[in-house]
Amino acid sequence: MKRAALAAKAGILALAFSLIPGIASATEAETPQWAIDEGITIVELDPTEGTPISGHELAEIEALEETQMPAQGSPIYLSDAPIAQPFINIVTCGSRIDWYRWRGQDGKNVLCFANKGDANIDRYNNVRYVCPGSNRGQTRYYYGNQHYWSTLRGPMSDHKTCYSFGDYAVAAKGVSIK
């Protein structure tokens, strides 16, 4: 009886997500093994439904990147250069699930962020999942010849929800945590 009740609740949750434009809950068959192992709920998003970044805003961001980003293709840490507003930090993910996390196509953590602020990050082409943890934030990314801001998401009370950009990874270039 409990199993039937849980299945019914899961069906209702999937139906609720399917009614929201641009959001679909991944079926169990589509849920990656790492998410099942960690008890993570994956919410599928259409990457083209982010907020497009205007040409003017993009020019301002790129001007900042030219003065604040390194020549090499690695992240800048707050202690290395002034790329972030005060307080935000790129941190070692470890087993922490409460930080704002970018996860790759394989589900492994790419970068984790702690505290509030904005950061420009040299392009990471392998970000497929965004996991807000206990934060309210959004990711700036490039997909299909357009720059976008993802929808502002989080905080998640159980830190067990991640949002997927669909079937493919995007090129993440920045983060803003409120």
Side-chain angles (χ1 to χ4, degrees):
M1 190 63 167
K2 281 185 177 182
R3 187 170 279 209
L6 287 174
K9 285 181 183 179
I12 291 168
L13 181 61
L15 175 62
F17 276 122
S18 69
L19 296 174
I20 301 171
I23 296 181
S25 183
T27 65
E28 195 164 315
E30 296 170 342
T31 302
Q33 188 61 48
W34 66 265
I36 294 168
D37 294 345
E38 295 178 31
I40 301 283
T41 299
I42 301 293
V43 179
E44 296 284 341
L45 303 173
D46 180 343
T48 62
E49 292 198 15
T51 303
I53 296 175
S54 70
H56 177 71
E57 182 183 2
L58 184 59
E60 288 178 352
I61 291 168
E62 288 175 344
L64 283 173
E65 286 177 346
E66 286 178 18
T67 60
Q68 298 176 345
M69 296 304 298
Q72 73 273 16
S74 61
I76 298 179
Y77 293 87
L78 197 58
S79 60
D80 296 335
I83 63 153
Q85 300 293 330
F87 308 121
I88 196 168
N89 291 292
I90 298 171
V91 293
T92 302
C93 302
S95 61
R96 298 283 299 263
I97 61 172
D98 56 328
W99 287 325
Y100 191 93
R101 296 175 291 152
W102 287 350
R103 295 183 91 152
Q105 190 82 0
D106 58 4
K108 293 182 180 169
N109 289 322
V110 175
L111 279 180
C112 290
F113 304 91
N115 307 315
K116 295 179 180 181
D118 300 304
N120 292 323
I121 309 299
D122 199 8
R123 182 176 300 185
Y124 273 83
N125 289 306
N126 189 30
V127 175
R128 182 169 176 194
Y129 305 96
V130 172
C131 310
S134 61
N135 304 280
R136 182 158 178 78
Q138 61 192 137
T139 294
R140 184 168 55 85
Y141 63 96
Y142 182 79
Y143 177 83
N145 296 320
Q146 175 67 50
H147 292 264
Y148 295 93
W149 275 109
S150 68
T151 301
L152 195 57
R153 302 215 184 268
M156 311 312 283
S157 61
D158 66 357
H159 310 144
K160 295 273 188 175
T161 300
C162 295
Y163 296 89
S164 169
F165 285 108
D167 293 334
Y168 304 100
V170 299
K173 295 199 71 184
V175 65
S176 178
I177 299 176
K178 308 296 182 206

